Amino acid sequence: MGNEEAVFFSRVLTELTLSFHIIYATIGVGVPLMIMIAQWVGIKKNDEHYILLARRWARGFIITVAVGVVTGTAIGLQLSLLWPNFMELAGNVIALPLFMETFAFFFEAIFLGIYLYTWDRFENQKKHFLLLIPVAVGASFSAVFITIVNAFMNAPRGFDIVNGELVNINPLLAMFNPAMPTKVAHVVVTAYMTAAFVLAAIAAFRLLKGSNHEYHKKALYLTMKVGLVFAIAAAIIGDFSGKYLAEYQPEKLAAAEWHFETEGNAPLIMYGVLKDGEVKYAIKIPYALSFLAHSSFTEEVIGLDQFPPDEVPPLYIHYLFDIMVTIGVWMTVLSAVYWFGMKRRWAMVRARWFRWLIVLGGPLSVVAIEAGWWLAEVGRQPWILRHIMRTQEAATTSAHVDSMLILFSLLYLVLGVGSIVVLRRMFRNNPVEREIEDREMEKGGDVL
Amino acid sequence: MTLEIIGISVLWTFLFGYILVGAIDFGAGFFNAYSLLTGRQRVLTNVIQRYLSPVWEVTNVFLVFFFVGIIGFFPKTAFYYGTTLLIPVSIGIILIAIRGSYYAFETYGTRGHKGYSFMYGLAGILIPASLSIVLTISEGGFVTMVDGNPVLDYWLLFTSRLTWAVVFLSISATLYISAVFLTWYANKARDVEATNLLRKYALIWALPTIITAGGIIVELRQHNPLHYSNIQMFWPMFLISFLMFVGTVWLLWKRRKYGLAFSLLAGQFVFAFFGYGASHYPYLLYPYLTIYDSFTNPAMAISLIIAFILGLGLLIPSLVLLMRLFLFDKDYVRGKGDYHA
């Protein structure tokens, strides 16, 4: 296998691992916060339903954590196995946040173990609640630190290269690079948003499938409300991300927007297809790109004409941008209508068709996460470290990447199917109605 | 003490942590599967599950910590080991994935599925074997440089006696460590039947462990004479290690003080592991890579050490809490009450 092929298969394997991992990782970052909120509401309102909600979410969460942990271990090792030259160089500058990520992960792992195995062990529910704080903090901070590493790849700084040697290394400057604030904020907030909408989809699904229990209605209302808050936050930070790109990574924005020529009064292109260099069937929103990039309707936006052809990212990332933004806007509108409708007691938001839309919203949010990551990563091509190291210079010289790709594909297939089967069985065999009954019987026993 | 030495000592300590807690975990999975095969599942499963449930994720973090740390302190290892280890480490990852996921799947999904248990047991015993290849490669002789890139000679690796000795040691040490720990744990749980069974396993695996460990030192005389002569400089450490081994076996034989027996076992491995590590100095990959030419820049080294100290400030109290709640809590160990989510 030549180096060309090794690069290709390394890219495919990395993409496969990350695409699979982020489904579980996103849930892993968002769900602890949701559990924490449910448990807090339960304690505040003295409402058993919310406590039970937290408990049942926690139980499902273990399965996703398990897959998240093992695929996270896989990508952690694959970074060195598939991109040894990159890690050798980047390790000198960016090892600090990588190292801190493992601490956050360690912290989360310890308290998750304690939290999961001390239900009913403390007299006071608040004590048990306290254990959740390090879990949620640890989960969010692993996302923060690992996203810092990714931000560094987009905007490397904190070192100088003199005659091919790295000098003047400043780990903190490398961590707090220009891409970091928007990237970290966007990743964390969209993870919360996605987790909320996934849990909302489950509650809506149970309501549609015959259960009309108060428990599911509370769950649905809580998750949609939290989802709305984070969807709005995601949109605002998304706007900041656009401004960051215009300033620091104009080629990514230009490729995502099919903005070929540098000009002012730049229109935003939504949808459409690209045929022989011509944009067709697109919706053009006048001045919007100038506004997205610079908060001014007339300012000049750098186009792809400013870059040599071998530094332009693949143009298909426009479709990914469309998918991500459309789903984001759609989910914001859907959850806003639901929340407003609940306040105003509209019958519509309790209708079956509306609940089906909420069910659909869970998978859609996950699709948006995937599309967003592909956009961010492919939009960085051809660089692995922007303007420093090209992707093909970073890959391994080992000749066995293709067979490893097959092996890992099988693994992810087994893990994906396994986790779905186990989760379904877990909740099918123990519906909430039965669990509430069981708990009441236990309580009765205590009194006697 | 130089920054390089501090760096490698920290990493070596974490690797030791992984080997110890990992061995308990991997061996337990194997005994669990074996007891299923021989129809003694009832005896062992409860003890094993009760200990492992809250800690399996923590075990995994020790490994992550080690490999992230080594890239941080010694970035050049990514180039040498990353390029050469694609196959063995990928297999290791897949085995870890099977274990980690099926552990959660089995506990919460389908308790007692036989196929899962076997996969789980088998994967556990193969993980130390697939990862211990790294130790063999580090002795040199298996990696050559072709056009400036390291290439691993698999044929040479798989036909080497040293490789198989290390693989065998990793398996037998895993089972030995695990059995001694679980004997102590079962005894704390006042589970006489499990204690007796595990004590038997511990005694069975003690002899092969010490024999292969000695055999490897002899094997090194041919393979890497420099390392062999360095090992002899550290002979007191290996002697202490051996005496501790004798102490563990004697206590197990006499059915006395299982807690002390486990402490002696931990001591035995501490001395052997650090003696081995110290005699390997200064090479990370003989003869290409030393800890000096692969070390990161001073700015990164100092920030990593600061992060490490702050991190430990968080971790140590947390780990103590974890142990107090599960390992040293009488009611929990004896299985009074089912507290899990």
Side-chain angles (χ1 to χ4, degrees), chain A residues 317-365:
Chain A
I317 62 172
H318 175 74
Y319 303 115
L320 301 172
F321 184 80
D322 284 343
I323 293 171
M324 174 185 81
V325 172
T326 309
I327 294 174
V329 171
W330 165 248
M331 289 312 294
T332 315
V333 171
L334 187 74
S335 52
V337 168
Y338 175 83
W339 178 76
F340 201 69
M342 287 299 280
K343 288 265 160 209
R344 291 294 177 94
R345 299 183 185 283
W346 291 348
M348 179 185 87
V349 295
R350 294 170 202 268
R352 288 184 69 83
W353 64 269
F354 197 90
R355 283 184 178 158
W356 274 116
L357 289 180
I358 298 176
V359 172
L360 194 65
L364 274 182
S365 306

Side-chain angles (χ1 to χ4, degrees), chain B residues 33-101:
Chain B
Y34 182 72
S35 67
L36 233 159
L37 192 72
T38 53
R40 277 178 286 200
Q41 197 199 10
R42 192 181 44 80
V43 184
L44 289 187
T45 300
N46 277 339
V47 169
I48 290 173
Q49 297 264 342
R50 215 176 296 139
Y51 163 71
L52 289 181
S53 302
V55 299
W56 73 268
E57 209 189 335
V58 175
T59 307
N60 199 53
V61 188
F62 273 94
L63 175 67
V64 177
F65 200 99
F66 173 75
F67 71 69
V68 170
I70 196 155
I71 302 300
F73 279 105
F74 305 97
K76 273 207 177 68
T77 52
F79 175 66
Y80 284 94
Y81 280 115
T83 309
T84 49
L85 289 176
L86 180 68
I87 293 180
V89 174
S90 290
I91 292 172
I93 299 171
I94 287 171
L95 294 171
I96 289 173
I98 290 173
R99 260 185 81 77
S101 57

